[in-house]
PDB file of all heavy atoms in Angstrom:
ATOM      1  N   PHE A  29      57.958 -69.251 177.815  1.00  0.00           N
ATOM      2  CA  PHE A  29      56.802 -69.068 178.678  1.00  0.00           C
ATOM      3  C   PHE A  29      55.903 -68.032 178.018  1.00  0.00           C
ATOM      4  O   PHE A  29      56.331 -67.325 177.104  1.00  0.00           O
ATOM      5  CB  PHE A  29      57.232 -68.561 180.064  1.00  0.00           C
ATOM      6  CG  PHE A  29      57.912 -69.590 180.906  1.00  0.00           C
ATOM      7  CD1 PHE A  29      59.242 -69.936 180.687  1.00  0.00           C
ATOM      8  CD2 PHE A  29      57.237 -70.225 181.941  1.00  0.00           C
ATOM      9  CE1 PHE A  29      59.872 -70.887 181.471  1.00  0.00           C
ATOM     10  CE2 PHE A  29      57.857 -71.183 182.733  1.00  0.00           C
ATOM     11  CZ  PHE A  29      59.183 -71.513 182.499  1.00  0.00           C
ATOM     12  N   ARG A  30      54.672 -67.927 178.504  1.00  0.00           N
ATOM     13  CA  ARG A  30      53.781 -66.889 177.994  1.00  0.00           C
ATOM     14  C   ARG A  30      52.886 -66.372 179.101  1.00  0.00           C
ATOM     15  O   ARG A  30      52.620 -67.069 180.080  1.00  0.00           O
ATOM     16  CB  ARG A  30      52.940 -67.414 176.833  1.00  0.00           C
ATOM     17  CG  ARG A  30      51.915 -68.486 177.218  1.00  0.00           C
ATOM     18  CD  ARG A  30      51.244 -69.030 175.964  1.00  0.00           C
ATOM     19  NE  ARG A  30      50.233 -70.033 176.290  1.00  0.00           N
ATOM     20  CZ  ARG A  30      49.564 -70.739 175.379  1.00  0.00           C
ATOM     21  NH1 ARG A  30      49.797 -70.551 174.086  1.00  0.00           N
ATOM     22  NH2 ARG A  30      48.663 -71.620 175.770  1.00  0.00           N
ATOM     23  N   GLN A  31      52.448 -65.138 178.919  1.00  0.00           N
ATOM     24  CA  GLN A  31      51.553 -64.524 179.878  1.00  0.00           C
ATOM     25  C   GLN A  31      50.432 -63.814 179.139  1.00  0.00           C
ATOM     26  O   GLN A  31      50.682 -62.829 178.432  1.00  0.00           O
ATOM     27  CB  GLN A  31      52.289 -63.546 180.792  1.00  0.00           C
ATOM     28  CG  GLN A  31      51.424 -62.988 181.899  1.00  0.00           C
ATOM     29  CD  GLN A  31      52.242 -62.299 182.978  1.00  0.00           C
ATOM     30  OE1 GLN A  31      53.396 -61.935 182.775  1.00  0.00           O
ATOM     31  NE2 GLN A  31      51.663 -62.138 184.145  1.00  0.00           N
ATOM     32  N   ALA A  32      49.226 -64.328 179.312  1.00  0.00           N
ATOM     33  CA  ALA A  32      48.051 -63.727 178.695  1.00  0.00           C
ATOM     34  C   ALA A  32      47.533 -62.595 179.578  1.00  0.00           C
ATOM     35  O   ALA A  32      47.821 -62.561 180.782  1.00  0.00           O
ATOM     36  CB  ALA A  32      46.972 -64.782 178.497  1.00  0.00           C
ATOM     37  N   PRO A  33      46.771 -61.675 179.016  1.00  0.00           N
ATOM     38  CA  PRO A  33      46.242 -60.564 179.802  1.00  0.00           C
ATOM     39  C   PRO A  33      45.456 -61.051 181.014  1.00  0.00           C
ATOM     40  O   PRO A  33      44.577 -61.917 180.893  1.00  0.00           O
ATOM     41  CB  PRO A  33      45.331 -59.844 178.804  1.00  0.00           C
ATOM     42  CG  PRO A  33      45.881 -60.188 177.474  1.00  0.00           C
ATOM     43  CD  PRO A  33      46.405 -61.579 177.584  1.00  0.00           C
ATOM     44  N   GLY A  34      45.794 -60.537 182.182  1.00  0.00           N
ATOM     45  CA  GLY A  34      45.073 -60.890 183.393  1.00  0.00           C
ATOM     46  C   GLY A  34      45.395 -62.251 183.970  1.00  0.00           C
ATOM     47  O   GLY A  34      44.739 -62.695 184.928  1.00  0.00           O
ATOM     48  N   LYS A  35      46.385 -62.926 183.398  1.00  0.00           N
ATOM     49  CA  LYS A  35      46.736 -64.268 183.878  1.00  0.00           C
ATOM     50  C   LYS A  35      48.202 -64.337 184.279  1.00  0.00           C
ATOM     51  O   LYS A  35      48.999 -63.447 183.948  1.00  0.00           O
ATOM     52  CB  LYS A  35      46.454 -65.304 182.790  1.00  0.00           C
ATOM     53  CG  LYS A  35      44.980 -65.435 182.437  1.00  0.00           C
ATOM     54  CD  LYS A  35      44.755 -66.588 181.481  1.00  0.00           C
ATOM     55  CE  LYS A  35      43.278 -66.764 181.182  1.00  0.00           C
ATOM     56  NZ  LYS A  35      43.046 -67.912 180.251  1.00  0.00           N
ATOM     57  N   GLY A  36      48.549 -65.399 184.972  1.00  0.00           N
ATOM     58  CA  GLY A  36      49.936 -65.604 185.357  1.00  0.00           C
ATOM     59  C   GLY A  36      50.755 -66.151 184.206  1.00  0.00           C
ATOM     60  O   GLY A  36      50.221 -66.605 183.197  1.00  0.00           O
ATOM     61  N   ARG A  37      52.056 -66.091 184.357  1.00  0.00           N
ATOM     62  CA  ARG A  37      52.936 -66.614 183.312  1.00  0.00           C
ATOM     63  C   ARG A  37      52.956 -68.137 183.374  1.00  0.00           C
ATOM     64  O   ARG A  37      53.053 -68.718 184.459  1.00  0.00           O
ATOM     65  CB  ARG A  37      54.341 -66.044 183.515  1.00  0.00           C
ATOM     66  CG  ARG A  37      55.271 -66.287 182.364  1.00  0.00           C
ATOM     67  CD  ARG A  37      56.424 -65.280 182.352  1.00  0.00           C
ATOM     68  NE  ARG A  37      57.148 -65.211 183.604  1.00  0.00           N
ATOM     69  CZ  ARG A  37      58.095 -64.326 183.844  1.00  0.00           C
ATOM     70  NH1 ARG A  37      58.414 -63.429 182.926  1.00  0.00           N
ATOM     71  NH2 ARG A  37      58.714 -64.332 185.006  1.00  0.00           N
ATOM     72  N   GLU A  38      52.880 -68.763 182.201  1.00  0.00           N
ATOM     73  CA  GLU A  38      52.811 -70.224 182.145  1.00  0.00           C
ATOM     74  C   GLU A  38      53.865 -70.791 181.199  1.00  0.00           C
ATOM     75  O   GLU A  38      54.266 -70.149 180.223  1.00  0.00           O
ATOM     76  CB  GLU A  38      51.422 -70.694 181.694  1.00  0.00           C
ATOM     77  CG  GLU A  38      51.049 -70.302 180.289  1.00  0.00           C
ATOM     78  CD  GLU A  38      49.721 -70.918 179.841  1.00  0.00           C
ATOM     79  OE1 GLU A  38      49.076 -71.610 180.638  1.00  0.00           O
ATOM     80  OE2 GLU A  38      49.354 -70.704 178.674  1.00  0.00           O
ATOM     81  N   PHE A  39      54.252 -71.997 181.490  1.00  0.00           N
ATOM     82  CA  PHE A  39      55.234 -72.721 180.685  1.00  0.00           C
ATOM     83  C   PHE A  39      54.645 -73.103 179.327  1.00  0.00           C
ATOM     84  O   PHE A  39      53.470 -73.486 179.242  1.00  0.00           O
ATOM     85  CB  PHE A  39      55.673 -73.975 181.437  1.00  0.00           C
ATOM     86  CG  PHE A  39      56.551 -74.903 180.647  1.00  0.00           C
ATOM     87  CD1 PHE A  39      57.910 -74.657 180.526  1.00  0.00           C
ATOM     88  CD2 PHE A  39      56.013 -76.021 180.017  1.00  0.00           C
ATOM     89  CE1 PHE A  39      58.720 -75.510 179.799  1.00  0.00           C
ATOM     90  CE2 PHE A  39      56.823 -76.879 179.287  1.00  0.00           C
ATOM     91  CZ  PHE A  39      58.179 -76.628 179.184  1.00  0.00           C
ATOM     92  N   VAL A  40      55.461 -73.021 178.289  1.00  0.00           N
ATOM     93  CA  VAL A  40      55.037 -73.416 176.947  1.00  0.00           C
ATOM     94  C   VAL A  40      55.871 -74.598 176.444  1.00  0.00           C
ATOM     95  O   VAL A  40      55.328 -75.641 176.081  1.00  0.00           O
ATOM     96  CB  VAL A  40      55.154 -72.244 175.957  1.00  0.00           C
ATOM     97  CG1 VAL A  40      54.822 -72.704 174.534  1.00  0.00           C
ATOM     98  CG2 VAL A  40      54.252 -71.094 176.375  1.00  0.00           C
ATOM     99  N   ALA A  41      57.180 -74.440 176.414  1.00  0.00           N
ATOM    100  CA  ALA A  41      58.046 -75.490 175.878  1.00  0.00           C
ATOM    101  C   ALA A  41      59.475 -75.262 176.338  1.00  0.00           C
ATOM    102  O   ALA A  41      59.855 -74.131 176.653  1.00  0.00           O
ATOM    103  CB  ALA A  41      57.993 -75.516 174.355  1.00  0.00           C
ATOM    104  N   ALA A  42      60.267 -76.338 176.362  1.00  0.00           N
ATOM    105  CA  ALA A  42      61.666 -76.245 176.750  1.00  0.00           C
ATOM    106  C   ALA A  42      62.493 -77.198 175.907  1.00  0.00           C
ATOM    107  O   ALA A  42      61.986 -78.206 175.398  1.00  0.00           O
ATOM    108  CB  ALA A  42      61.843 -76.568 178.228  1.00  0.00           C
ATOM    109  N   ILE A  43      63.789 -76.872 175.789  1.00  0.00           N
ATOM    110  CA  ILE A  43      64.702 -77.715 175.024  1.00  0.00           C
ATOM    111  C   ILE A  43      66.075 -77.676 175.678  1.00  0.00           C
ATOM    112  O   ILE A  43      66.493 -76.641 176.197  1.00  0.00           O
ATOM    113  CB  ILE A  43      64.768 -77.236 173.550  1.00  0.00           C
ATOM    114  CG1 ILE A  43      65.585 -78.220 172.696  1.00  0.00           C
ATOM    115  CG2 ILE A  43      65.341 -75.823 173.433  1.00  0.00           C
ATOM    116  CD1 ILE A  43      65.436 -77.986 171.197  1.00  0.00           C
ATOM    117  N   LEU A  44      66.748 -78.813 175.671  1.00  0.00           N
ATOM    118  CA  LEU A  44      68.099 -78.878 176.212  1.00  0.00           C
ATOM    119  C   LEU A  44      69.099 -78.472 175.125  1.00  0.00           C
ATOM    120  O   LEU A  44      68.990 -78.923 173.982  1.00  0.00           O
ATOM    121  CB  LEU A  44      68.418 -80.296 176.696  1.00  0.00           C
ATOM    122  CG  LEU A  44      68.031 -80.647 178.125  1.00  0.00           C
ATOM    123  CD1 LEU A  44      66.534 -80.561 178.340  1.00  0.00           C
ATOM    124  CD2 LEU A  44      68.537 -82.038 178.491  1.00  0.00           C
ATOM    125  N   TRP A  45      70.096 -77.643 175.509  1.00  0.00           N
ATOM    126  CA  TRP A  45      71.132 -77.295 174.550  1.00  0.00           C
ATOM    127  C   TRP A  45      71.865 -78.541 174.062  1.00  0.00           C
ATOM    128  O   TRP A  45      72.175 -78.665 172.885  1.00  0.00           O
ATOM    129  CB  TRP A  45      72.151 -76.348 175.183  1.00  0.00           C
ATOM    130  CG  TRP A  45      71.786 -74.911 175.210  1.00  0.00           C
ATOM    131  CD1 TRP A  45      71.681 -74.119 176.302  1.00  0.00           C
ATOM    132  CD2 TRP A  45      71.498 -74.056 174.092  1.00  0.00           C
ATOM    133  NE1 TRP A  45      71.347 -72.843 175.939  1.00  0.00           N
ATOM    134  CE2 TRP A  45      71.233 -72.769 174.590  1.00  0.00           C
ATOM    135  CE3 TRP A  45      71.445 -74.246 172.702  1.00  0.00           C
ATOM    136  CZ2 TRP A  45      70.915 -71.684 173.769  1.00  0.00           C
ATOM    137  CZ3 TRP A  45      71.120 -73.168 171.873  1.00  0.00           C
ATOM    138  CH2 TRP A  45      70.860 -71.905 172.415  1.00  0.00           C
ATOM    139  N   SER A  46      72.140 -79.443 174.985  1.00  0.00           N
ATOM    140  CA  SER A  46      72.871 -80.656 174.631  1.00  0.00           C
ATOM    141  C   SER A  46      71.892 -81.801 174.428  1.00  0.00           C
ATOM    142  O   SER A  46      71.141 -82.153 175.323  1.00  0.00           O
ATOM    143  CB  SER A  46      73.855 -81.016 175.745  1.00  0.00           C
ATOM    144  OG  SER A  46      74.523 -82.224 175.441  1.00  0.00           O
ATOM    145  N   GLY A  47      71.862 -82.347 173.234  1.00  0.00           N
ATOM    146  CA  GLY A  47      70.984 -83.470 172.955  1.00  0.00           C
ATOM    147  C   GLY A  47      69.659 -83.073 172.354  1.00  0.00           C
ATOM    148  O   GLY A  47      69.086 -83.815 171.548  1.00  0.00           O
ATOM    149  N   GLY A  48      69.114 -81.928 172.763  1.00  0.00           N
ATOM    150  CA  GLY A  48      67.889 -81.435 172.145  1.00  0.00           C
ATOM    151  C   GLY A  48      66.591 -82.020 172.647  1.00  0.00           C
ATOM    152  O   GLY A  48      65.549 -81.870 171.989  1.00  0.00           O
ATOM    153  N   SER A  49      66.601 -82.683 173.804  1.00  0.00           N
ATOM    154  CA  SER A  49      65.340 -83.195 174.345  1.00  0.00           C
ATOM    155  C   SER A  49      64.370 -82.046 174.577  1.00  0.00           C
ATOM    156  O   SER A  49      64.769 -80.959 174.990  1.00  0.00           O
ATOM    157  CB  SER A  49      65.587 -83.930 175.660  1.00  0.00           C
ATOM    158  OG  SER A  49      66.347 -85.089 175.454  1.00  0.00           O
ATOM    159  N   THR A  50      63.090 -82.303 174.316  1.00  0.00           N
ATOM    160  CA  THR A  50      62.076 -81.255 174.414  1.00  0.00           C
ATOM    161  C   THR A  50      60.953 -81.638 175.367  1.00  0.00           C
ATOM    162  O   THR A  50      60.692 -82.827 175.610  1.00  0.00           O
ATOM    163  CB  THR A  50      61.470 -80.955 173.039  1.00  0.00           C
ATOM    164  OG1 THR A  50      60.903 -82.161 172.506  1.00  0.00           O
ATOM    165  CG2 THR A  50      62.526 -80.428 172.077  1.00  0.00           C
ATOM    166  N   THR A  51      60.294 -80.614 175.880  1.00  0.00           N
ATOM    167  CA  THR A  51      59.133 -80.771 176.758  1.00  0.00           C
ATOM    168  C   THR A  51      58.116 -79.720 176.343  1.00  0.00           C
ATOM    169  O   THR A  51      58.490 -78.574 176.068  1.00  0.00           O
ATOM    170  CB  THR A  51      59.526 -80.552 178.229  1.00  0.00           C
ATOM    171  OG1 THR A  51      60.504 -81.529 178.610  1.00  0.00           O
ATOM    172  CG2 THR A  51      58.316 -80.677 179.151  1.00  0.00           C
ATOM    173  N   TYR A  52      56.842 -80.103 176.315  1.00  0.00           N
ATOM    174  CA  TYR A  52      55.776 -79.191 175.903  1.00  0.00           C
ATOM    175  C   TYR A  52      54.638 -79.179 176.921  1.00  0.00           C
ATOM    176  O   TYR A  52      54.324 -80.202 177.536  1.00  0.00           O
ATOM    177  CB  TYR A  52      55.189 -79.605 174.543  1.00  0.00           C
ATOM    178  CG  TYR A  52      56.154 -79.485 173.402  1.00  0.00           C
ATOM    179  CD1 TYR A  52      56.931 -80.570 173.006  1.00  0.00           C
ATOM    180  CD2 TYR A  52      56.286 -78.285 172.701  1.00  0.00           C
ATOM    181  CE1 TYR A  52      57.824 -80.462 171.954  1.00  0.00           C
ATOM    182  CE2 TYR A  52      57.173 -78.171 171.642  1.00  0.00           C
ATOM    183  CZ  TYR A  52      57.939 -79.265 171.279  1.00  0.00           C
ATOM    184  OH  TYR A  52      58.822 -79.152 170.238  1.00  0.00           O
ATOM    185  N   ALA A  53      54.000 -78.034 177.042  1.00  0.00           N
ATOM    186  CA  ALA A  53      52.752 -77.965 177.787  1.00  0.00           C
ATOM    187  C   ALA A  53      51.682 -78.689 176.992  1.00  0.00           C
ATOM    188  O   ALA A  53      51.701 -78.685 175.753  1.00  0.00           O
ATOM    189  CB  ALA A  53      52.357 -76.506 178.013  1.00  0.00           C
ATOM    190  N   GLU A  54      50.736 -79.276 177.693  1.00  0.00           N
ATOM    191  CA  GLU A  54      49.683 -80.036 177.020  1.00  0.00           C
ATOM    192  C   GLU A  54      48.893 -79.163 176.045  1.00  0.00           C
ATOM    193  O   GLU A  54      48.459 -79.626 174.995  1.00  0.00           O
ATOM    194  CB  GLU A  54      48.736 -80.630 178.057  1.00  0.00           C
ATOM    195  CG  GLU A  54      49.309 -81.791 178.851  1.00  0.00           C
ATOM    196  CD  GLU A  54      49.630 -82.990 177.979  1.00  0.00           C
ATOM    197  OE1 GLU A  54      48.856 -83.253 177.021  1.00  0.00           O
ATOM    198  OE2 GLU A  54      50.642 -83.660 178.242  1.00  0.00           O
ATOM    199  N   SER A  55      48.728 -77.900 176.388  1.00  0.00           N
ATOM    200  CA  SER A  55      47.909 -77.001 175.585  1.00  0.00           C
ATOM    201  C   SER A  55      48.504 -76.700 174.212  1.00  0.00           C
ATOM    202  O   SER A  55      47.794 -76.238 173.319  1.00  0.00           O
ATOM    203  CB  SER A  55      47.687 -75.689 176.338  1.00  0.00           C
ATOM    204  OG  SER A  55      48.926 -75.069 176.619  1.00  0.00           O
ATOM    205  N   VAL A  56      49.799 -76.976 174.021  1.00  0.00           N
ATOM    206  CA  VAL A  56      50.433 -76.648 172.741  1.00  0.00           C
ATOM    207  C   VAL A  56      50.986 -77.878 172.027  1.00  0.00           C
ATOM    208  O   VAL A  56      51.475 -77.758 170.903  1.00  0.00           O
ATOM    209  CB  VAL A  56      51.556 -75.607 172.917  1.00  0.00           C
ATOM    210  CG1 VAL A  56      51.034 -74.371 173.638  1.00  0.00           C
ATOM    211  CG2 VAL A  56      52.764 -76.186 173.643  1.00  0.00           C
ATOM    212  N   LYS A  57      50.912 -79.029 172.652  1.00  0.00           N
ATOM    213  CA  LYS A  57      51.430 -80.257 172.029  1.00  0.00           C
ATOM    214  C   LYS A  57      50.760 -80.497 170.683  1.00  0.00           C
ATOM    215  O   LYS A  57      49.539 -80.390 170.556  1.00  0.00           O
ATOM    216  CB  LYS A  57      51.199 -81.460 172.946  1.00  0.00           C
ATOM    217  CG  LYS A  57      52.282 -81.676 173.974  1.00  0.00           C
ATOM    218  CD  LYS A  57      52.032 -82.948 174.776  1.00  0.00           C
ATOM    219  CE  LYS A  57      53.088 -83.154 175.827  1.00  0.00           C
ATOM    220  NZ  LYS A  57      52.820 -84.365 176.654  1.00  0.00           N
ATOM    221  N   GLY A  58      51.579 -80.832 169.697  1.00  0.00           N
ATOM    222  CA  GLY A  58      51.053 -81.091 168.369  1.00  0.00           C
ATOM    223  C   GLY A  58      50.873 -79.851 167.514  1.00  0.00           C
ATOM    224  O   GLY A  58      50.651 -79.950 166.307  1.00  0.00           O
TER     225      GLY A  58
END
């Protein structure tokens, strides 16, 4: 997750320990 100055904390990316499936926020995809 990340938190910019003056903003709330937002999701960035996640990964499963088993299998390794990933999820990304649209703002960081690619």
Side-chain angles (χ1 to χ4, degrees):
F29 288 78
R30 67 186 181 185
Q31 186 166 18
K35 295 187 177 181
R37 191 158 53 186
E38 65 174 2
F39 173 81
V40 175
I43 187 167
L44 273 62
W45 278 122
S46 177
S49 294
T50 58
T51 299
Y52 294 93
E54 287 297 323
S55 59
V56 306
K57 274 184 181 178

